[in-house]
Amino acid sequence: MVGAGALFLLISGDFVAAADSPGGVIGRVLDDARSAGAGRVVLLSSQGVATRPGSSSLGSTARSIEDAVRRSGMDWTILRPGGFDSNAYAWAESVRARRAVAAPFGDVGLPFIDPDDIAEVAAVALREDGHAGQVYELTGPALTTPRQRAEAIGEALGEPIRFTEQTREEARAQMLRFMPEPVVETTLSIIGEPTPAERRVSPDVERLLGRTPRTFAEWARRNAAAFR
């Protein structure tokens, strides 16, 4: 880290215990960065810190990491995105094999964000002054539903995609194959019964980048090769 002036921090939930301990992994990373001369840290956190504060699998986990960053002694900026457009990669295999998608809550919209927009905001916060002590909520430009996202992938491919709406229990059983149960329950609550705050389109991306966020359709066109 010697010679670096700033640190971008992306941490798995596996390290939450370290965030609560000054001598833990996260504390050591932050201490090392500061000792090496970094005066600025930008953390990729989660919208759930604000919208799901009672969730042990999301809100409190991300909050403990945020608190470690606030205690770091460096100028800090926190980014809180909601759902990522790239979550649609979970559909890639079924789209390639059957031109089909299955998902719950087919007509519930959320303002998913393009990860490239997150990266551009992070670069601004890392390289420019004026962002110390700021928390930015990052969303896309509009609500999109699973059904609409499947349609956008089909348009990017030039072929129709069949959408099947799963029940909550069907989705839960599928998600439990690769996600811990508390995370599954929180995720289903967000995508099935989002709060008004989770459905709100934030102005922060446009304010920081000077342009509107990219749409899901743009993301799908740029990444169509993954679904061919």
Side-chain angles (χ1 to χ4, degrees):
M1 292 185 187
V2 174
L7 170 70
F8 177 68
L9 196 57
L10 169 62
I11 299 177
S12 159
D14 295 339
F15 291 101
V16 64
D20 294 325
S21 169
V25 174
I26 292 174
R28 290 201 301 273
V29 169
L30 293 167
D31 287 346
D32 287 348
R34 187 180 63 252
S35 298
R40 179 178 298 169
V41 56
V42 176
L43 170 68
L44 184 63
S45 184
S46 168
Q47 185 187 56
V49 172
T51 64
R52 304 276 168 167
S55 168
S56 61
S57 64
L58 182 59
S60 60
T61 296
R63 170 66 71 181
S64 64
I65 296 172
E66 287 189 6
D67 288 345
V69 167
R70 288 186 173 93
R71 296 192 301 263
S72 68
M74 292 184 280
D75 289 341
W76 55 264
T77 306
I78 293 171
L79 311 181
R80 291 179 178 169
F84 289 18
D85 289 346
S86 53
N87 290 353
Y89 282 135
W91 295 341
E93 183 177 351
S94 66
V95 172
R96 288 194 300 264
R98 301 182 298 280
R99 290 297 188 253
V101 161
F105 316 115
D107 298 305
V108 177
L110 287 167
F112 277 22
I113 184 169
D114 189 320
D116 283 5
D117 284 343
I118 300 173
E120 289 188 31
V121 168
V124 168
L126 285 165
R127 298 164 64 182
E128 298 179 7
D129 294 332
H131 304 286
Q134 298 297 311
V135 178
Y136 296 127
E137 182 181 11
L138 308 182
T139 72
L143 305 181
T144 61
T145 68
R147 195 183 309 274
Q148 290 169 333
R149 292 193 287 274
E151 290 173 357
I153 292 170
E155 290 172 2
L157 295 174
E159 300 181 47
I161 302 297
R162 185 175 74 257
F163 181 85
T164 301
E165 184 162 2
Q166 295 174 311
T167 66
R168 184 186 181 104
E169 285 309 309
E170 287 170 339
R172 183 177 185 275
Q174 183 180 38
M175 294 164 69
L176 282 172
R177 298 174 192 165
F178 58 91
M179 295 169 64
E181 184 173 5
V183 178
V184 169
E185 295 301 335
T186 299
T187 301
L188 287 170
S189 294
I190 292 172
I191 64 176
E193 299 174 342
T195 67
E198 287 162 344
R199 290 172 58 86
R200 185 179 77 95
V201 173
S202 170
D204 287 347
V205 172
E206 184 168 4
R207 184 160 58 86
L208 291 164
L209 300 184
R211 60 165 177 80
T212 58
R214 296 176 174 93
T215 66
F216 181 84
E218 290 176 282
W219 179 90
R221 288 193 294 270
R222 224 171 49 249
N223 295 281
F227 299 91
R228 293 196 189 282

